[in-house]
Amino acid sequence: MRVCVKLFAAVRDIAGDEKVELEVSSDADISAVRAALIGKWPQLEPYAQFLNFAVNQTYATAATRVAADDEIACIPPVSGG
Amino acid sequence: MRVCVKLFAAVRDIAGDEKVELEVSSDADISAVRAALIGKWPQLEPYAQFLNFAVNQTYATAATRVAADDEIACIPPVSGG
Amino acid sequence: MASLTHETIDLQSLYDMVATPTAGAIVTFSGVTRELTQGRQTESLDYEAYAEMALAKLTELEQIAKERWPIEKCAVVHRLGHLEIGEASVVVAASSAHREAAFLAAKWLIDTLKEEAPIWKRENWSDGSTEWVHPGLPTGDAP
Amino acid sequence: MASLTHETIDLQSLYDMVATPTAGAIVTFSGVTRELTQGRQTESLDYEAYAEMALAKLTELEQIAKERWPIEKCAVVHRLGHLEIGEASVVVAASSAHREAAFLAAKWLIDTLKEEAPIWKRENWSDGSTEWVHPGLPTGDAP
């Protein structure tokens, strides 16, 4: 299936877009989404372990399953405040 | 000697004046000033142990000696803030 | 930058007093007149001070706070005279490079001024009676 | 009462949001753009957020704070977009009957939003370079 992932800050700058489409298997979880993202942008590889993800605006774990219509976002380490 | 004592809040209301003159011995300390104050207004007796004093705008102890031209103040328990 | 005032305290002006390019954190504390104190209805308050000593004491507390925590600046202003419900009786502000120090200094300043500054409040209760607040004094027919 | 804004944050309006007749204490925390960060000169900052989630997260933190401490109200506003030195990037306010709770809740809110809110800042250094701040990411030729 095809999922859409929102990107922010340095990750968005590297990918050059605020939103990317990734092809993942129909039973994909966040670890599969992460792998697909790194596969598309190998420059992100050193940061892979530091990237969190959110599904439908809630922090997800590596095992969180995703569906094609989920709102998925890649959340690099935050620095608000 | 004659010393002048500034009064505040409930103590001032009881004495009816914001400034009182008290007659004390020439080697008087704050405990003597306290005793002279209570002697003049026996209604203050229940509160005597709760009354602090300041000499020249600094908190004093019972043993602090006073002079005729010192600025002496009776400081009942504070409630600012 | 301690002061006593009979006017409404302006929070923004306290903030501006402690703002500085090296400060990344600014904490303010405002003490506000409440409607209910231990179940009794307060109509208004009056504050009075031994003004010269109170100002010296507040200035001394600011100095101690600056020695004790890595703060950039701090300021304290205490209101005197008649206050209606909801008005601030005291505002403390502290600025620091990192937030911990500003929080600790502001907390210590308000805690300590409440114990040491020669300032008193009088509760004007809604039943028409008034009462100087002297913590620890025997109650009942207290002055 | 969480919000995100591209405008200057008004401290007084945050104070007014949490003021209430039962509150005797109001604490505010302002996070301010500093001129120097670890020795480097900052020219300005830009903040961006995953806005919908950031707003949901700030609202959730306000709820948790209200459950954890006896506070009356709390409010958080985070600035987005371009900020000059000295401007507030975030303001937190909390009110409570007694001061302890307002201090603790305000401190927890700023500590926790810095860890959890999906908001990022970009340092615009005085040498003309810019850098997204991602704590923990490998440095050097970091993105």
Side-chain angles (χ1 to χ4, degrees):
Chain A
M1 66 181 172
R2 188 170 287 269
V3 294
C4 185
V5 179
K6 291 173 184 280
L7 305 179
F8 297 96
V11 173
R12 191 251 340 275
D13 287 358
I14 289 175
D17 205 339
E18 60 189 15
K19 201 176 209 178
V20 299
E21 293 205 332
L22 298 171
E23 190 63 38
V24 293
S25 68
S26 63
D27 63 346
D29 59 13
I30 284 295
S31 68
V33 172
R34 183 196 318 262
L37 182 68
I38 305 297
K40 197 158 179 179
W41 284 281
Q43 312 96 292
L44 290 173
E45 209 285 322
Y47 317 114
Q49 61 172 305
F50 301 101
L51 303 178
N52 279 301
F53 286 81
V55 175
N56 299 325
Q57 302 175 19
T58 301
Y59 283 112
T61 69
T64 301
R65 295 281 289 276
V66 298
D69 59 352
D70 279 341
E71 180 176 321
I72 305 172
C74 172
I75 314 279
V78 302
S79 52
Chain B
M1 66 182 172
R2 186 169 289 267
V3 295
C4 186
V5 179
K6 292 172 185 281
L7 304 179
F8 297 96
V11 173
R12 191 250 340 274
D13 286 359
I14 289 174
D17 206 338
E18 59 189 16
K19 201 176 213 179
V20 298
E21 294 204 331
L22 299 171
E23 190 63 37
V24 293
S25 68
S26 63
D27 63 346
D29 58 15
I30 284 296
S31 68
V33 171
R34 185 197 316 265
L37 183 68
I38 305 297
K40 197 158 178 180
W41 284 281
Q43 313 95 293
L44 290 173
E45 210 286 323
Y47 317 115
Q49 61 173 307
F50 301 100
L51 303 178
N52 279 301
F53 286 82
V55 175
N56 299 326
Q57 303 175 20
T58 301
Y59 283 112
T61 68
T64 301
R65 295 279 289 274
V66 297
D69 58 353
D70 280 340
E71 181 177 319
I72 305 171
C74 173
I75 314 279
V78 300
S79 52
Chain C
M1 288 182 295
S3 64
L4 302 170
T5 179
H6 283 77
E7 308 298 319
T8 302
I9 302 173
D10 180 46
L11 181 63
Q12 184 66 45
S13 74
L14 263 278
Y15 177 100
D16 293 343
M17 271 184 218
V18 303
T20 172
T22 48
I26 297 179
V27 172
T28 74
F29 171 84
S30 304
V32 183
T33 312
R34 280 190 300 152
E35 201 166 354
L36 290 171
T37 300
Q38 295 169 331
R40 286 188 78 179
Q41 191 90 18
T42 299
E43 185 71 29
S44 64
L45 292 173
D46 284 274
Y47 279 89
E48 79 169 33
Y50 175 12
E52 306 89 325
M53 181 176 166
L55 204 52
K57 175 57 78 178
L58 297 181
T59 302
E60 180 196 341
L61 296 184
E62 290 182 352
Q63 286 303 325
I64 295 172
K66 279 181 212 163
E67 287 160 20
R68 200 171 293 193
W69 291 279
I71 57 174
E72 301 294 318
K73 294 186 177 186
C74 61
V76 178
V77 56
H78 202 295
R79 178 86 178 270
L80 299 178
H82 190 74
L83 275 77
E84 299 295 335
I85 298 293
E87 290 197 276
S89 53
V90 62
V91 179
V92 170
S95 64
S96 56
H98 303 289
R99 64 191 181 281
E100 193 78 22
F103 271 107
L104 291 172
K107 178 68 161 53
W108 180 84
L109 279 166
I110 183 62
D111 286 351
T112 311
L113 85 80
K114 285 176 87 90
E115 286 173 2
E116 298 189 5
I119 301 174
W120 300 270
K121 76 174 163 197
R122 189 178 67 194
E123 295 265 10
N124 304 316
W125 303 109
S126 59
D127 63 10
S129 64
T130 69
E131 184 179 15
W132 285 106
V133 179
H134 290 305
L137 274 199
T139 48
D141 47 356
Chain D
M1 287 182 295
S3 64
L4 302 170
T5 180
H6 283 77
E7 309 297 319
T8 302
I9 302 174
D10 180 46
L11 180 64
Q12 185 67 45
S13 74
L14 261 280
Y15 177 100
D16 293 343
M17 271 185 218
V18 303
T20 170
T22 48
I26 296 179
V27 172
T28 73
F29 170 86
S30 303
V32 183
T33 310
R34 280 190 300 152
E35 204 167 351
L36 289 171
T37 300
Q38 294 169 330
R40 287 187 77 180
Q41 191 90 14
T42 299
E43 184 71 29
S44 64
L45 292 174
D46 285 273
Y47 279 89
E48 79 168 35
Y50 176 12
E52 307 89 322
M53 181 175 165
L55 204 52
K57 174 56 77 177
L58 297 181
T59 303
E60 180 197 339
L61 297 183
E62 290 182 352
Q63 286 304 323
I64 295 172
K66 279 182 212 162
E67 287 160 20
R68 200 171 292 191
W69 291 280
I71 58 175
E72 301 294 317
K73 293 187 178 185
C74 60
V76 179
V77 57
H78 203 295
R79 178 85 177 271
L80 299 178
H82 190 73
L83 274 78
E84 300 295 335
I85 298 293
E87 290 198 278
S89 53
V90 61
V91 179
V92 170
S95 64
S96 55
H98 303 289
R99 66 190 180 280
E100 193 77 23
F103 271 107
L104 291 172
K107 179 68 163 52
W108 180 84
L109 280 167
I110 183 62
D111 286 351
T112 310
L113 84 82
K114 285 174 88 88
E115 288 171 4
E116 299 189 4
I119 301 174
W120 300 271
K121 75 173 162 196
R122 189 177 65 194
E123 296 265 9
N124 303 317
W125 302 109
S126 59
D127 63 11
S129 65
T130 68
E131 183 180 16
W132 285 106
V133 180
H134 290 305
L137 273 199
T139 48
D141 47 358

